[in-house]
Amino acid sequence: MSKRVILGIVLLALCGLIAVFPLLTIKDSEFGGADGEAEEVVAAVDPDYEPWAESPIAPPGGETESLLFCLQAGIGAAVLGYGFGYLRARKKYKQDDEKAKSR
């Protein structure tokens, strides 16, 4: 295997370890999002505060919310990956055209 393949495998394993390590080591904890934290801070600062807007669509459960978030992240990753791939291919084909013209 080449050095790049080995480096890729090591980096993927490290990413997996970083993601799984807190889940395995921190017992009886709840990993909440920023929305819940912000709601607690607002309630502590101003207990009489009432939200002026509500979500028009309430997901049926936390799993649906997580699914939508993962879908959003997947679409974003696909768009970024396509963009980087397009830029990389454009550079490669531009260099190939320049080589063909110089011959």
Side-chain angles (χ1 to χ4, degrees), residues 18-30:
I18 289 171
V20 173
F21 183 74
L23 298 173
L24 296 176
T25 58
I26 303 173
K27 301 293 182 193
D28 299 326
S29 63
E30 187 174 322

Side-chain angles (χ1 to χ4, degrees), residues 8-84:
I9 291 170
V10 169
L11 289 176
L12 283 173
L14 185 61
C15 288
L17 182 66
I18 289 171
V20 173
F21 183 74
L23 298 173
L24 296 176
T25 58
I26 303 173
K27 301 293 182 193
D28 299 326
S29 63
E30 187 174 322
F31 295 98
D35 294 342
E37 293 293 322
E39 185 178 337
E40 290 175 12
V41 170
V42 169
V45 171
D46 186 7
D48 297 329
Y49 177 78
E50 290 186 27
W52 55 272
E54 291 184 19
S55 176
I57 301 171
E63 296 83 16
T64 306
E65 189 176 344
S66 295
L67 172 68
L68 292 174
F69 179 76
C70 290
L71 183 63
Q72 179 185 2
I75 291 170
V79 168
L80 281 175
Y82 177 80
F84 285 132

